[in-house]
Amino acid sequence: MRDKLTDALYGLGWSAVKKMPEPMAARLGRTIADTAWKRRGKGVLRLESNLARVVPDATPERLMELSKAGMRSYMRYWMESFRLPTWSRERVERDVAIQDVHHLTDGLASGRGVILALPHLANWDLAGVWVTRALGVPFTTVAERLRPESLYDRFVAYRESLGMEVLPHSGGAAFGTLARRLRAGGLVCLVADRDLSASGVEVKYFGETARMPAGPALLAQQTGALLLPVTLWYGEEPVMHGRVHAPVDVPETGTRAEKTSSMTQALADAYATGIAEHPEDWHMLQRLWLVDLEERRA
């Protein structure tokens, strides 16, 4: 019953919010965000705990301000995402401003394939729509399998409607397909700042140890593709900003594991720069650092 309710609520969001006048949808998002923030549930408290590491000198009052702004940013992500299928190319070009995009376009022009690796900042779906509509470049991504299966199917259909090829994040088949796309000179986009599996790479993140996926670094090593970190943030409404960072190069020496560790740390450092500049747009409402995960297991 819970799975059916979850699926129904998301279905309602995609159907109802998409048809609302935009000011009404924005007000609804802020109302939901403020209500959730006032309830002080687990997600809000976890967000504040995570933000305390990003802004270590923040007072409790400042952390509450940041978490409130963070919940509003998170709900803006959802309100926008529900409405993205209706956005025109002109709207996307007007409301998304990406800096240093030459790293991406030059990499694609070289024919070597490009990997864009992003953290959970602002609206990564909107960034993907900007790539497909403003640049006219299709890309491949992966999606975590969700329960119920019907909800996963909704997410896949939604992202495919935006011009993305979506692969299930399970088994080794996705990695092989991504590698083939890159060897053919294609583009792969991955949200890559959280990996709770044993295969995750340990990195130093705001002074403590966390795990991030090895996939982006391994794909770059195996295919010769360019690996580019990307960070996003919301500016004055309705514009979303972004930056394509300089490439993360494959080290010339070391084992595969050592190279993967070094490259993943470089991604983490780029993410940390963007998050520190715009902590209110970091949508991390889950445990991330190993010490927090160990506390939960204990």
Side-chain angles (χ1 to χ4, degrees):
M1 182 60 70
R2 182 178 179 180
D3 287 348
K4 290 181 179 179
L5 177 61
T6 300
D7 182 50
L9 288 173
Y10 277 100
L12 179 64
W14 266 298
S15 61
V17 174
K18 182 168 62 176
K19 297 175 183 177
M20 285 181 182
E22 190 157 329
M24 182 183 296
R27 285 195 301 270
L28 175 62
R30 287 193 296 270
T31 299
I32 294 173
D34 291 351
T35 300
W37 180 79
K38 289 177 183 177
R39 291 180 60 187
R40 312 291 293 159
K42 291 182 179 179
V44 173
L45 295 178
R46 177 52 52 190
L47 177 60
E48 287 184 7
S49 175
N50 291 340
L51 288 169
R53 290 180 167 95
V54 175
V55 191
D57 58 347
T59 64
E61 293 77 16
R62 175 58 178 155
L63 287 176
M64 291 182 68
E65 291 175 359
L66 283 173
S67 68
K68 184 175 184 178
M71 292 303 294
R72 286 189 171 191
S73 175
Y74 185 46
M75 287 312 303
R76 177 177 171 180
Y77 159 78
W78 280 110
M79 294 297 112
E80 284 180 347
S81 295
F82 286 142
R83 298 172 61 83
L84 275 181
T86 68
W87 283 33
S88 65
R89 174 178 175 176
E90 292 73 22
R91 170 76 184 273
V92 174
E93 290 177 336
R94 184 187 72 219
D95 290 352
V96 179
I98 307 296
Q99 302 173 17
D100 298 327
V101 70
H102 65 90
H103 292 306
L104 169 58
T105 54
D106 290 351
L108 291 172
S110 72
R112 63 184 290 193
V114 175
I115 306 159
L116 297 181
L118 305 86
H120 286 81
L121 269 171
N123 192 336
W124 44 96
D125 282 329
L126 176 53
V129 172
W130 179 82
V131 169
T132 60
R133 294 187 182 171
L135 294 185
V137 178
F139 67 86
T140 305
T141 188
V142 296
E144 182 181 357
R145 284 202 171 276
L146 304 171
R147 291 184 56 192
E149 189 72 17
S150 57
L151 179 58
Y152 171 77
D153 292 339
R154 283 185 190 273
F155 271 98
V156 170
Y158 155 71
R159 290 193 166 112
E160 288 179 342
S161 75
L162 301 176
M164 311 174 192
E165 179 188 21
V166 183
L167 307 175
H169 189 275
S170 58
F175 188 92
T177 302
L178 294 174
R180 287 193 295 273
R181 299 290 183 269
L182 292 168
R183 291 191 181 103
L187 176 63
V188 165
C189 299
L190 302 170
V191 180
D193 62 341
R194 185 171 182 261
D195 188 342
L196 306 185
S197 71
S199 62
V201 178
E202 292 192 1
V203 296
K204 284 297 180 183
Y205 207 40
F206 295 101
E208 295 190 43
T209 304
R211 285 198 189 104
M212 293 187 180
L218 288 173
L219 283 167
Q221 291 176 62
Q222 292 194 18
T223 67
L226 199 64
L227 177 56
L228 300 175
V230 177
T231 53
L232 306 169
W233 67 94
Y234 284 126
E236 294 297 325
E237 291 191 16
V239 178
M240 184 184 78
H241 297 266
R243 177 181 296 114
V244 182
H245 295 253
V248 173
D249 295 326
V250 178
E252 295 183 359
T253 60
T255 65
R256 185 173 72 167
E258 290 169 343
K259 292 178 180 180
T260 301
S261 177
S262 175
M263 295 171 74
T264 306
Q265 182 64 60
L267 289 177
D269 293 342
Y271 299 161
T273 298
I275 293 168
E277 291 175 350
H278 305 280
E280 68 280 1
D281 290 324
W282 188 40
H283 305 156
M284 186 57 67
L285 281 68
Q286 302 85 23
R287 297 174 190 264
L288 176 66
W289 282 274
L290 295 193
V291 64
D292 295 334
L293 296 167
E294 290 166 358
E295 286 177 3
R296 181 177 63 180
R297 283 193 292 267

